[in-house]
Amino acid sequence: MDDLIPLVKSGLGLVATGDRTDLRLRLEQTLGRLATPDIRVIVVGEFKQGKSKLINALVNAPVCPVDDDIATSVPTVVGFGDPASAAVLMPRTDGGPDGAVERRVIPLEDIAEFVSERGNPSNRQGLASAEVRLPRRLLADGLSIIDSPGVGGLESAHALTTLTALPTADAMILVSDASQEYTEPELRFLKQATRIVPNVGCVLSKTDLYPQWRAVADLDRGHLSNAGISAPLIPVSSDLRLVASRDEDAELNRESGFPELVGYLRNEVVGKAQALRRRSVAQDLLSTADHLRLSVTSELQALENPEGVPLLIADLEEAKERADQQRKRSSRWQTTLNDGASDLISDMEHDLRDRLRSIQREAEAAIDDGDPGLIWDQFAEWLEQRVASAVSDTFVWTNERSQWLAEQVAELFALDEVPLPLLEVSNTDGVLAPVEEVPYLDPGRVSAAGKVLIGMRGSYGGVLMFGLLTGIIGMSLINPLSVGAGLLLGRKAYREDKDARLKRRQAEAKTLVRRQMDDVVFQVGKQLKDRLRLVQREIRDHFGAIAEEHHRSLADSVAAAQRTASTFRQEREARITELKAQLAAIDRLHAQAGRLLPKPAQPVAAPSGVEAGASA
């Protein structure tokens, strides 16, 4: 990627000769992206699947704490740096802007005190993340590996925290050990991830502990194929890799499976990310060169043909017409954007309500089938899982619709390969934070004394009534018949009271579920609407800048052609020489940028009979 920086700087040099601050800002942003390459790979999975040890084995250093009773509590970013260092990032408390963090350098050997559950349980220190820099060749090309906290079940509400980081990642690796095949929550999480992250890989860890790992790997590949997930599955053993690195044993290293994983990271992740960045840089340079050429070519043609006044007037009229057409297109794409954003917000709200209504129906059916008070804790956990899953699906779906809307707006521009903005609606950070936990429900347990009192209240009338009736025949008020009747009526009264209490608990449970659904719709719907408004503004600003650049280029070409009418002969010759030099530099930049784009694949001719026979 180092060859791109001089090319972008040469483009900045060409832009500096004119008054095009818009093009200069674009290339400065491109140069900034090249100066700090960051290819992010996030490693995810449930607790105790071997994520931290996998990263340690990749970089051959104990950067992530590993132990039977230690779990990661803070995301840890492992990247390139020389010398080795560590730091933690924490939100600023001095009233800085939202999202601002403070970087604090710490000793590398103390990293476990900040990122593990033992040293920082449940992230009580409030750290945003931790950084570890190591001089490793694997990381030298800008690769950053992120150790994420275990999500405690990929269908739980904590999985939203993991989904939060996916939109900003170039790739994701799901780690699952070889003790069992993929579970339904893991496959569901993978399906969501493939809709957010451009590159997804799977690692089967701890193959040294489970002799049946090959059978588990075959089952997992079958599950991935049936789910329509085209992700590679790489079996590895982190312990074998660490031993091989210590003993410098190449054969043991191959047996660990890590060479395949390293090859995947270098070729599929780093290679594709670099190719995408080269294509992005090439498009920026080609667009800049086209805008600069338009103005220079118009002025040069007018200077070289001063006698062609009618042609000059015609060119000016055509340029003006193109500018007017661009303004009309600008009005059209803004109308399309506004209408599309309104439809998207309406569809999003309907999608969220529909998903939550389906969950509410399932919850009410489960409540009707039994006593919710006895299983309320498990029921509340299930409800939170389903709500978190529904919110994730809605956000991912909304992100896809946002990208589709951006493509619809891009089609209204008469430009080749208009770049699309980076939209991150699927980021679910803090979405469910304002939503209160499912309220407590009284289990309705009655003590033995309470049961006796309920029975006595019901039996009192029976004893009295039958005691009076039997008193007619000379029996006492308390006699075997009245006591028996009292026991029967007391039992009936207890059952009726039990049924009434169950109905009340079921009604109260349904009320709590409805209240929870309303709270989710209110809180999540508000946040999602706000994010979609931000997306609308981002799309508007992105395409507005493109339209302004194109309109500015047309206006500059008109002004340049008009200036030639009052240019003297001597000045004209000097200006022609200057413009030809500028045009040659622009053409060189355009050609160099064009070579950055991948060449189209050439069709392979079928081999002749002799060649086919020789090959056979």
Side-chain angles (χ1 to χ4, degrees):
M1 302 292 285
D2 293 339
D3 58 324
L4 301 180
I5 294 179
L7 197 58
V8 177
K9 288 183 177 179
S10 65
L12 282 170
L14 290 175
V15 173
T17 59
D19 185 22
R20 294 302 301 270
T21 56
D22 52 343
L23 299 180
R24 177 177 57 81
L25 290 176
R26 178 197 282 198
L27 291 185
E28 286 177 350
Q29 292 174 354
T30 303
L31 189 62
R33 293 197 302 270
L34 291 176
T36 56
D38 187 17
I39 304 172
R40 298 165 60 88
V41 178
I42 182 169
V43 180
V44 304
E46 298 188 7
F47 285 117
K48 297 303 167 189
Q49 297 297 306
K51 302 187 300 297
S52 299
K53 184 174 284 189
L54 176 77
I55 296 176
N56 292 345
L58 271 173
V59 300
N60 191 24
V63 293
C64 300
V66 176
D67 205 342
D68 291 338
D69 59 346
I70 288 182
T72 304
S73 62
V74 176
T76 306
V77 182
V78 182
F80 182 80
D82 194 6
S85 62
V88 293
L89 278 66
M90 56 186 63
R92 294 179 59 178
T93 58
D94 55 358
D98 293 340
V101 294
E102 178 183 357
R103 191 173 187 272
R104 195 177 93 193
V105 178
I106 61 173
L108 183 58
E109 58 271 14
D110 294 343
I111 189 69
E113 299 300 322
F114 295 89
V115 304
S116 68
E117 286 288 347
R118 177 185 293 176
N120 184 17
S122 301
N123 192 17
R124 292 179 182 175
Q125 300 181 32
L127 302 180
S129 64
E131 292 181 354
V132 176
R133 301 296 176 186
L134 296 173
R136 295 292 185 270
R137 186 170 57 182
L138 177 65
L139 309 174
D141 292 328
L143 179 65
S144 296
I145 305 175
I146 305 171
D147 183 20
S148 64
V151 296
L154 289 172
E155 204 176 26
S156 68
H158 299 288
L160 284 172
T161 305
T162 302
L163 286 174
T164 294
L166 295 185
T168 60
D170 295 275
M172 185 203 78
I173 293 179
L174 177 70
V175 180
S176 179
D177 64 32
S179 63
Q180 64 176 4
E181 58 190 290
Y182 280 142
T183 61
E184 194 278 333
E186 286 177 320
L187 291 173
R188 178 181 176 83
F189 185 86
L190 277 171
K191 288 181 180 180
Q192 288 183 326
T194 54
R195 297 167 62 184
I196 303 175
V197 189
N199 204 330
V200 174
C202 301
V203 167
L204 187 69
S205 62
K206 304 181 181 181
T207 57
D208 56 307
L209 297 180
Y210 302 100
Q212 75 280 9
W213 67 266
R214 291 181 177 84
V216 175
D218 291 338
L219 290 172
D220 286 346
R221 290 190 179 97
H223 290 318
L224 293 174
S225 177
N226 294 334
I229 301 173
S230 58
L233 179 69
I234 306 174
V236 300
S237 170
S238 301
D239 288 326
L240 289 182
R241 163 78 168 191
L242 292 172
V243 173
S245 299
R246 183 193 63 196
D247 299 341
E248 298 182 356
D249 190 333
E251 181 64 28
L252 191 60
N253 184 49
R254 283 193 295 272
E255 188 177 346
S256 71
F258 269 79
E260 183 180 357
L261 178 59
V262 172
Y264 166 76
L265 291 174
R266 285 178 173 168
N267 300 326
E268 295 297 320
V269 178
V270 177
K272 289 184 177 180
Q274 288 181 343
L276 185 62
R277 281 163 172 73
R278 293 179 73 90
R279 182 179 180 86
S280 175
V281 171
Q283 289 178 343
D284 288 341
L285 291 174
L286 289 173
S287 176
T288 301
D290 289 338
H291 285 299
L292 293 175
R293 182 190 287 119
L294 183 61
S295 176
V296 173
T297 303
S298 300
E299 184 177 358
L300 184 60
Q301 289 177 350
L303 288 172
E304 289 180 337
N305 299 286
E307 68 281 357
V309 177
L311 182 60
L312 177 60
I313 294 176
D315 289 341
L316 291 174
E317 292 296 335
E318 182 181 356
K320 290 180 180 179
E321 183 179 354
R322 289 170 62 189
D324 292 339
Q325 290 177 354
Q326 184 61 34
R327 289 193 181 94
K328 293 178 181 179
R329 280 195 295 270
S330 174
S331 176
R332 286 173 54 199
W333 71 257
Q334 288 190 10
T335 301
T336 301
L337 174 60
N338 293 333
D339 293 345
S342 299
D343 293 342
L344 180 56
I345 291 175
S346 177
D347 293 344
M348 172 278 304
E349 190 170 8
H350 178 270
D351 180 79
L352 179 62
R353 288 183 178 275
D354 182 64
R355 295 179 191 273
L356 294 180
R357 187 169 295 178
S358 176
I359 295 174
Q360 181 177 329
R361 285 195 292 265
E362 290 183 41
E364 292 181 349
I367 290 172
D368 288 334
D369 289 341
D371 187 353
L374 302 177
I375 57 169
W376 187 249
D377 291 340
Q378 297 89 333
F379 179 84
E381 182 180 357
W382 170 85
L383 185 63
E384 290 178 352
Q385 290 177 356
R386 292 300 309 276
V387 169
S389 179
V391 171
S392 300
D393 288 340
T394 297
F395 270 63
V396 173
W397 175 81
T398 306
N399 185 73
E400 294 175 342
R401 282 289 305 272
S402 300
Q403 294 290 349
W404 175 83
L405 177 59
E407 293 172 0
Q408 295 298 308
V409 176
E411 290 180 359
L412 297 178
F413 283 79
L415 305 174
D416 295 332
E417 295 188 4
V418 176
L420 297 179
L422 177 62
L423 306 177
E424 298 179 0
V425 191
S426 50
N427 186 324
T428 55
D429 187 15
V431 169
L432 291 176
V435 180
E436 298 291 339
E437 295 184 357
V438 179
Y440 173 77
L441 178 68
D442 184 7
R445 294 187 178 91
V446 181
S447 63
K451 295 178 181 178
V452 172
L453 289 175
I454 294 173
M456 289 180 64
R457 284 198 301 267
S459 64
Y460 175 77
V463 172
L464 182 61
M465 180 176 61
F466 277 86
L468 292 175
L469 289 176
T470 55
I472 299 174
I473 58 176
M475 298 180 68
S476 63
L477 182 65
I478 305 298
N479 60 73
L481 292 178
S482 63
V483 171
L487 289 175
L488 291 175
L489 292 178
R491 184 179 181 183
K492 181 176 181 296
Y494 175 75
R495 287 183 174 179
E496 290 177 349
D497 181 80
K498 182 179 179 180
D499 291 340
R501 285 186 284 111
L502 175 60
K503 295 296 183 182
R504 285 197 300 270
R505 282 196 301 276
Q506 289 176 335
E508 184 180 356
K510 291 181 181 180
T511 301
L512 294 177
V513 169
R514 296 189 189 105
R515 189 182 305 166
Q516 187 74 7
M517 296 297 103
D518 291 341
D519 194 18
V520 172
V521 170
F522 177 74
Q523 299 289 355
V524 177
K526 175 64 169 59
Q527 293 193 48
L528 193 49
K529 286 180 182 178
D530 292 341
R531 296 187 185 205
L532 288 178
R533 293 299 183 191
L534 291 176
V535 166
Q536 181 181 4
R537 286 193 286 271
E538 187 174 350
I539 296 177
R540 180 197 64 198
D541 295 342
H542 177 81
F543 289 108
I546 295 177
E548 180 62 27
E549 286 178 0
H550 194 53
H551 183 267
R552 175 73 180 275
S553 298
L554 292 174
D556 285 354
S557 66
V558 173
Q562 290 175 339
R563 285 197 303 270
T564 60
S566 58
T567 304
F568 294 103
R569 178 181 181 84
Q570 185 176 1
E571 296 176 354
R572 181 181 294 116
E573 295 298 331
R575 183 60 177 164
I576 288 175
T577 303
E578 181 183 354
L579 290 175
K580 286 184 176 180
Q582 291 183 13
L583 187 59
I586 293 172
D587 289 338
R588 284 196 301 272
L589 178 65
H590 193 279
Q592 291 173 331
R595 286 194 289 271
L596 297 178
L597 296 174
K599 296 181 180 179
Q602 298 294 331
V604 180
S608 62
V610 176
E611 294 172 340
S615 300

